[in-house]
Amino acid sequence: MGRLTKAIEMKRKKLEELKEIVEDVRKAEEDWHARREPRDCGITVHPGIGCDLGCVYCYIADMGFPTDKVEPYPLSGPELALALMLNPNVAPGPTGTYVAVGSVTEPFHPLLLDKTFEYLKWLKYLGNYTQMSFKMVFPERRLNEFLESSERRLSVLVSVSSLRRARELEPRLPPVEKRFELAKKIKDGGKGVAVFIRPIIPGITDKESKELLELASSYGLEDVVLGGLRVTQRIMKNLRSLGVSLEGRLRRLPRGREQVYVYTRDLRDKIAREAESLGMRVLYTACDANARHHGEVCWDSCIFERELCERLPPVDPRDLREGVEMLGGKLVSFELKEPVLKVEAEGLKKNAGWIIQMAYRRQVILKVGGRTFYYK
Ligand code: SF4
């Protein structure tokens, strides 16, 4: 069985199994996880709603999430797994959708820990390549539970932004040393671990990045992912009060809650050089880290390093044709120009493109019924 047909067949099986296990199917059907489209790093899974840890660069308040409290997500583990399988944009298994846990909350928040472990356990059951990032730490006595409940090669990002000014930026988070300590234990437990330097705050992160990387290296952490910075009006004000200047780094000023990217390419290049000089491996994006920790590459890896295109999984024409049929359509033609797969088909729904994208780990352009959809 090829990659696409395998993912679709596995989705059918998991769906059947989960419908037997879950009592309240409607609760899963009505949940957001059953409808959302994947983002850059696959489908995001939220073990909680809100976060009360108050990082000054955090944008969840501007997205409408509560910042004075945090609550475990109302779905149980099986309900979450069912919601994901009901989502027409998502497929399970090693040729299915990448999963990212906890992008709008802190998965190791003490009030979310049980829920996070439960979700990891059910994601392990689905078999998707999963990634999570963390800033909080949990007690040593729960380490084995974490290692056992999560999939074998879970990709873990330990998120840091500053060493010396962490208390101003992230007043309620544990010191960076504590985060690295836990990251080391997780790595020693067999998971893929990378230091996620994010956000990169101009004038802060880049000033102490060498020290930060040396510290990470002293804990045996070898992979680095460099993130960016997005600001809203509120975040700009917070950063200004800490003396951070974004002059010349914004294409335009943000309006209200709107998030605007800050230019940090020069700083990322500098930090990447520092990491490489310490013998660390720089991974291009969180998605790239998820792929590499699972022993593969994705289109993101390939965009940044052309030679990696050779390591993308093959696109088997028969598998593609049969997969498109299983998704309810008919393949008209396809063209592969790495890392982009162009597919023309009849009778396919838009969400089929996400399944094809993840099965072959490529960007996809889908032409169907005179319309063109992009999946990147
Ligand atoms: S821990 Fe994450 S979600 Fe919570 S405030 Fe900090 S950046 Fe926001």
Side-chain angles (χ1 to χ4, degrees):
M1 206 173 240
R3 295 181 61 91
L4 180 59
T5 45
K6 185 175 166 183
I8 300 166
E9 179 54 25
M10 198 167 168
K11 183 176 169 93
R12 192 192 58 74
K13 262 179 82 181
K14 295 285 179 194
L15 203 47
E16 237 171 54
E17 287 171 13
L18 285 161
K19 279 184 175 168
E20 289 293 313
I21 299 169
V22 174
E23 273 180 30
D24 192 352
V25 172
R26 185 181 287 189
K27 191 173 167 198
E29 271 170 356
E30 287 171 356
D31 190 80
W32 204 34
H33 289 92
R35 288 190 296 277
R36 268 211 311 269
E37 289 194 345
R39 311 260 328 231
D40 306 349
C41 292
I43 192 82
T44 48
V45 163
H46 307 313
I49 300 173
C51 185
D52 57 1
L53 295 170
C55 304
V56 302
Y57 50 72
C58 182
Y59 44 77
I60 68 161
D62 301 298
M63 292 171 80
F65 291 105
T67 52
D68 56 346
K69 61 176 183 179
V70 55
E71 279 172 6
Y73 202 77
L75 294 186
S76 67
E79 286 166 352
L80 171 87
L82 177 58
L84 290 174
M85 288 304 94
L86 287 166
N87 187 329
N89 306 299
V90 175
T95 61
T97 314
Y98 286 156
V99 175
V101 177
S103 58
V104 291
T105 189
E106 167 49 45
F108 288 167
H109 191 295
L111 297 175
L112 300 186
L113 208 51
D114 289 339
K115 186 63 82 175
T116 297
F117 286 10
E118 189 193 0
Y119 280 9
L120 288 174
K121 187 175 136 204
W122 283 90
L123 290 169
K124 182 179 174 180
Y125 156 81
L126 291 180
N128 296 66
Y129 288 171
T130 302
Q131 180 173 72
M132 61 170 299
S133 65
F134 77 91
K135 296 172 205 255
M136 286 294 273
V137 296
F138 57 74
E140 167 103 41
R141 65 186 151 77
R142 299 204 66 178
L143 182 66
N144 278 343
E145 190 190 341
F146 169 73
L147 295 175
E148 279 160 23
S149 55
S150 52
E151 56 132 339
R152 191 168 62 86
R153 289 193 285 182
L154 178 76
S155 172
V156 180
L157 305 179
V158 49
S159 179
V160 292
S161 190
S162 165
L163 195 54
R164 277 175 263 134
R165 299 190 64 184
R167 287 214 73 77
E168 290 165 81
L169 292 165
E170 306 156 335
R172 281 172 232 143
L173 294 185
V176 171
E177 289 84 350
K178 289 273 171 225
R179 294 180 229 176
F180 285 167
E181 221 171 84
L182 177 60
K184 180 184 180 334
K185 286 177 189 154
I186 291 174
K187 183 167 179 261
D188 291 346
K191 311 293 180 188
V193 174
V195 181
F196 196 14
I197 302 190
R198 186 186 75 150
I200 292 177
I201 303 193
I204 295 186
T205 315
D206 52 303
K207 288 274 181 325
E208 43 177 274
S209 47
K210 185 87 189 287
E211 210 181 321
L212 199 57
L213 291 164
E214 280 168 352
L215 183 70
S217 202
S218 74
Y219 281 87
L221 306 176
E222 294 157 338
D223 288 348
V224 184
V225 180
L226 302 171
L229 170 65
R230 283 179 276 168
V231 291
T232 59
Q233 261 183 9
R234 191 186 52 81
I235 296 171
M236 270 191 76
K237 205 171 139 208
N238 286 349
L239 292 176
R240 214 176 289 133
S241 72
L242 296 178
V244 174
S245 163
L246 300 179
E247 214 184 311
R249 295 192 173 274
L250 287 168
R251 240 185 303 155
R252 60 185 169 75
L253 288 173
R255 284 183 287 258
R257 294 171 163 220
E258 169 201 35
Q259 296 176 21
V260 171
Y261 275 94
V262 177
Y263 176 80
T264 53
R265 180 69 194 263
D266 54 333
L267 309 180
R268 275 189 282 160
D269 288 348
K270 170 194 171 289
I271 301 171
R273 284 194 299 274
E274 289 169 348
E276 276 160 2
S277 75
L278 290 168
M280 299 175 93
R281 175 170 73 157
V282 179
L283 301 172
Y284 300 105
T285 58
C287 187
D288 180 32
N290 196 4
R292 307 283 197 105
H293 286 155
H294 289 90
E296 60 178 37
V297 298
C298 69
W299 65 93
D300 251 11
S301 331
C302 174
I303 284 170
F304 288 97
E305 208 174 318
R306 293 299 301 179
E307 304 86 79
L308 291 175
C309 287
E310 286 167 22
R311 285 181 47 201
L312 286 169
V315 178
D316 173 2
R318 185 169 156 198
D319 176 55
L320 179 60
R321 182 169 36 79
E322 287 177 6
V324 167
E325 280 165 18
M326 286 165 87
L327 290 166
K330 188 170 183 295
L331 182 69
V332 175
S333 65
F334 77 96
E335 186 193 343
L336 188 58
K337 212 168 175 192
E338 299 295 17
V340 182
L341 173 63
K342 281 189 192 168
V343 175
E344 192 177 345
E346 287 167 3
L348 270 191
K349 291 210 175 111
K350 185 189 167 199
N351 45 54
W354 292 116
I355 309 285
I356 299 171
Q357 177 210 37
M358 287 309 320
Y360 299 121
R361 309 295 195 226
R362 283 172 175 84
Q363 293 184 343
V364 165
I365 300 175
L366 175 63
K367 252 179 117 173
V368 57
R371 297 183 67 190
T372 306
F373 302 101
Y374 298 85
Y375 309 84
K376 331 183 152 179

mmCIF file of all heavy atoms in Angstrom, residues 342-361:
data_model
loop_
_atom_site.group_PDB
_atom_site.id
_atom_site.type_symbol
_atom_site.label_atom_id
_atom_site.label_comp_id
_atom_site.label_asym_id
_atom_site.label_seq_id
_atom_site.Cartn_x
_atom_site.Cartn_y
_atom_site.Cartn_z
ATOM 1 N N LYS A 342 1.753 19.231 -8.278
ATOM 2 C CA LYS A 342 0.525 19.803 -8.859
ATOM 3 C C LYS A 342 -0.398 18.657 -9.228
ATOM 4 O O LYS A 342 0.013 17.724 -9.922
ATOM 5 C CB LYS A 342 0.848 20.578 -10.136
ATOM 6 C CG LYS A 342 1.407 21.946 -9.898
ATOM 7 C CD LYS A 342 1.479 22.678 -11.227
ATOM 8 C CE LYS A 342 2.296 23.934 -11.054
ATOM 9 N NZ LYS A 342 2.640 24.552 -12.323
ATOM 10 N N VAL A 343 -1.620 18.742 -8.766
ATOM 11 C CA VAL A 343 -2.579 17.667 -9.022
ATOM 12 C C VAL A 343 -3.820 18.264 -9.669
ATOM 13 O O VAL A 343 -4.365 19.262 -9.188
ATOM 14 C CB VAL A 343 -2.977 16.957 -7.691
ATOM 15 C CG1 VAL A 343 -4.058 15.912 -7.935
ATOM 16 C CG2 VAL A 343 -1.768 16.321 -7.018
ATOM 17 N N GLU A 344 -4.243 17.668 -10.763
ATOM 18 C CA GLU A 344 -5.522 18.078 -11.351
ATOM 19 C C GLU A 344 -6.473 16.899 -11.211
ATOM 20 O O GLU A 344 -6.107 15.761 -11.533
ATOM 21 C CB GLU A 344 -5.342 18.449 -12.830
ATOM 22 C CG GLU A 344 -6.584 19.137 -13.344
ATOM 23 C CD GLU A 344 -6.475 19.616 -14.776
ATOM 24 O OE1 GLU A 344 -5.363 19.674 -15.312
ATOM 25 O OE2 GLU A 344 -7.546 19.890 -15.339
ATOM 26 N N ALA A 345 -7.628 17.150 -10.681
ATOM 27 C CA ALA A 345 -8.564 16.042 -10.441
ATOM 28 C C ALA A 345 -10.003 16.516 -10.647
ATOM 29 O O ALA A 345 -10.275 17.721 -10.670
ATOM 30 C CB ALA A 345 -8.386 15.514 -9.019
ATOM 31 N N GLU A 346 -10.881 15.537 -10.785
ATOM 32 C CA GLU A 346 -12.313 15.857 -10.868
ATOM 33 C C GLU A 346 -12.984 15.360 -9.597
ATOM 34 O O GLU A 346 -12.582 14.324 -9.048
ATOM 35 C CB GLU A 346 -12.953 15.120 -12.053
ATOM 36 C CG GLU A 346 -12.575 15.681 -13.401
ATOM 37 C CD GLU A 346 -12.970 14.742 -14.546
ATOM 38 O OE1 GLU A 346 -13.598 13.682 -14.267
ATOM 39 O OE2 GLU A 346 -12.632 15.057 -15.690
ATOM 40 N N GLY A 347 -13.964 16.094 -9.145
ATOM 41 C CA GLY A 347 -14.820 15.619 -8.057
ATOM 42 C C GLY A 347 -14.205 15.593 -6.667
ATOM 43 O O GLY A 347 -14.771 15.001 -5.757
ATOM 44 N N LEU A 348 -13.056 16.224 -6.494
ATOM 45 C CA LEU A 348 -12.440 16.229 -5.152
ATOM 46 C C LEU A 348 -12.897 17.439 -4.363
ATOM 47 O O LEU A 348 -13.139 18.507 -4.923
ATOM 48 C CB LEU A 348 -10.914 16.314 -5.259
ATOM 49 C CG LEU A 348 -10.088 15.042 -5.351
ATOM 50 C CD1 LEU A 348 -8.628 15.371 -5.176
ATOM 51 C CD2 LEU A 348 -10.522 14.014 -4.312
ATOM 52 N N LYS A 349 -12.976 17.279 -3.044
ATOM 53 C CA LYS A 349 -13.283 18.435 -2.201
ATOM 54 C C LYS A 349 -11.965 19.094 -1.822
ATOM 55 O O LYS A 349 -10.911 18.441 -1.834
ATOM 56 C CB LYS A 349 -14.012 17.987 -0.943
ATOM 57 C CG LYS A 349 -15.404 17.482 -1.247
ATOM 58 C CD LYS A 349 -16.330 17.731 -0.061
ATOM 59 C CE LYS A 349 -17.748 17.334 -0.404
ATOM 60 N NZ LYS A 349 -18.222 16.177 0.289
ATOM 61 N N LYS A 350 -12.039 20.353 -1.402
ATOM 62 C CA LYS A 350 -10.826 21.130 -1.091
ATOM 63 C C LYS A 350 -9.949 20.437 -0.043
ATOM 64 O O LYS A 350 -8.726 20.438 -0.117
ATOM 65 C CB LYS A 350 -11.262 22.508 -0.585
ATOM 66 C CG LYS A 350 -10.112 23.453 -0.340
ATOM 67 C CD LYS A 350 -10.569 24.721 0.363
ATOM 68 C CE LYS A 350 -9.350 25.465 0.868
ATOM 69 N NZ LYS A 350 -9.672 26.419 1.917
ATOM 70 N N ASN A 351 -10.605 19.817 0.979
ATOM 71 C CA ASN A 351 -9.818 19.239 2.081
ATOM 72 C C ASN A 351 -8.921 18.077 1.641
ATOM 73 O O ASN A 351 -7.950 17.755 2.307
ATOM 74 C CB ASN A 351 -10.716 18.806 3.236
ATOM 75 C CG ASN A 351 -11.929 18.071 2.742
ATOM 76 O OD1 ASN A 351 -11.789 17.105 2.018
ATOM 77 N ND2 ASN A 351 -13.107 18.551 3.099
ATOM 78 N N ALA A 352 -9.220 17.458 0.491
ATOM 79 C CA ALA A 352 -8.386 16.345 0.015
ATOM 80 C C ALA A 352 -6.935 16.794 -0.172
ATOM 81 O O ALA A 352 -5.998 16.013 0.015
ATOM 82 C CB ALA A 352 -8.944 15.812 -1.296
ATOM 83 N N GLY A 353 -6.764 18.060 -0.525
ATOM 84 C CA GLY A 353 -5.414 18.585 -0.761
ATOM 85 C C GLY A 353 -4.528 18.481 0.473
ATOM 86 O O GLY A 353 -3.325 18.226 0.376
ATOM 87 N N TRP A 354 -5.118 18.671 1.665
ATOM 88 C CA TRP A 354 -4.321 18.577 2.906
ATOM 89 C C TRP A 354 -3.832 17.152 3.132
ATOM 90 O O TRP A 354 -2.737 16.921 3.617
ATOM 91 C CB TRP A 354 -5.155 19.020 4.118
ATOM 92 C CG TRP A 354 -5.490 20.477 4.135
ATOM 93 C CD1 TRP A 354 -6.741 21.018 4.053
ATOM 94 C CD2 TRP A 354 -4.585 21.575 4.247
ATOM 95 N NE1 TRP A 354 -6.662 22.386 4.105
ATOM 96 C CE2 TRP A 354 -5.371 22.752 4.225
ATOM 97 C CE3 TRP A 354 -3.196 21.675 4.350
ATOM 98 C CZ2 TRP A 354 -4.801 24.022 4.310
ATOM 99 C CZ3 TRP A 354 -2.633 22.948 4.438
ATOM 100 C CH2 TRP A 354 -3.428 24.095 4.419
ATOM 101 N N ILE A 355 -4.674 16.188 2.780
ATOM 102 C CA ILE A 355 -4.301 14.773 2.975
ATOM 103 C C ILE A 355 -3.175 14.411 2.001
ATOM 104 O O ILE A 355 -2.198 13.744 2.367
ATOM 105 C CB ILE A 355 -5.535 13.848 2.739
ATOM 106 C CG1 ILE A 355 -6.757 14.305 3.550
ATOM 107 C CG2 ILE A 355 -5.178 12.392 3.009
ATOM 108 C CD1 ILE A 355 -6.734 14.023 5.010
ATOM 109 N N ILE A 356 -3.312 14.893 0.754
ATOM 110 C CA ILE A 356 -2.276 14.612 -0.265
ATOM 111 C C ILE A 356 -0.962 15.291 0.139
ATOM 112 O O ILE A 356 0.117 14.706 0.067
ATOM 113 C CB ILE A 356 -2.741 15.095 -1.662
ATOM 114 C CG1 ILE A 356 -4.024 14.354 -2.078
ATOM 115 C CG2 ILE A 356 -1.644 14.923 -2.702
ATOM 116 C CD1 ILE A 356 -4.697 14.896 -3.329
ATOM 117 N N GLN A 357 -1.071 16.531 0.618
ATOM 118 C CA GLN A 357 0.123 17.280 1.034
ATOM 119 C C GLN A 357 0.915 16.504 2.076
ATOM 120 O O GLN A 357 2.129 16.329 1.971
ATOM 121 C CB GLN A 357 -0.306 18.642 1.619
ATOM 122 C CG GLN A 357 0.854 19.468 2.143
ATOM 123 C CD GLN A 357 0.450 20.385 3.301
ATOM 124 O OE1 GLN A 357 -0.375 20.009 4.146
ATOM 125 N NE2 GLN A 357 1.007 21.566 3.331
ATOM 126 N N MET A 358 0.206 16.022 3.103
ATOM 127 C CA MET A 358 0.920 15.367 4.194
ATOM 128 C C MET A 358 1.405 13.975 3.801
ATOM 129 O O MET A 358 2.460 13.545 4.230
ATOM 130 C CB MET A 358 0.051 15.296 5.456
ATOM 131 C CG MET A 358 -0.142 16.598 6.193
ATOM 132 S SD MET A 358 1.304 17.615 6.642
ATOM 133 C CE MET A 358 2.539 16.527 7.157
ATOM 134 N N ALA A 359 0.641 13.273 2.968
ATOM 135 C CA ALA A 359 1.066 11.920 2.581
ATOM 136 C C ALA A 359 2.407 11.961 1.856
ATOM 137 O O ALA A 359 3.266 11.112 2.072
ATOM 138 C CB ALA A 359 0.014 11.267 1.690
ATOM 139 N N TYR A 360 2.586 12.975 1.015
ATOM 140 C CA TYR A 360 3.834 13.036 0.243
ATOM 141 C C TYR A 360 4.811 14.073 0.781
ATOM 142 O O TYR A 360 5.868 14.281 0.189
ATOM 143 C CB TYR A 360 3.522 13.306 -1.238
ATOM 144 C CG TYR A 360 2.682 12.215 -1.859
ATOM 145 C CD1 TYR A 360 1.443 12.502 -2.422
ATOM 146 C CD2 TYR A 360 3.120 10.893 -1.875
ATOM 147 C CE1 TYR A 360 0.662 11.502 -2.987
ATOM 148 C CE2 TYR A 360 2.348 9.889 -2.433
ATOM 149 C CZ TYR A 360 1.124 10.199 -2.977
ATOM 150 O OH TYR A 360 0.352 9.202 -3.536
ATOM 151 N N ARG A 361 4.448 14.758 1.883
ATOM 152 C CA ARG A 361 5.324 15.757 2.518
ATOM 153 C C ARG A 361 5.776 16.829 1.532
ATOM 154 O O ARG A 361 6.934 17.238 1.518
ATOM 155 C CB ARG A 361 6.572 15.102 3.132
ATOM 156 C CG ARG A 361 6.308 13.921 4.057
ATOM 157 C CD ARG A 361 5.549 14.315 5.297
ATOM 158 N NE ARG A 361 5.583 13.300 6.318
ATOM 159 C CZ ARG A 361 4.503 12.895 6.998
ATOM 160 N NH1 ARG A 361 3.314 13.402 6.771
ATOM 161 N NH2 ARG A 361 4.629 12.001 7.943
#
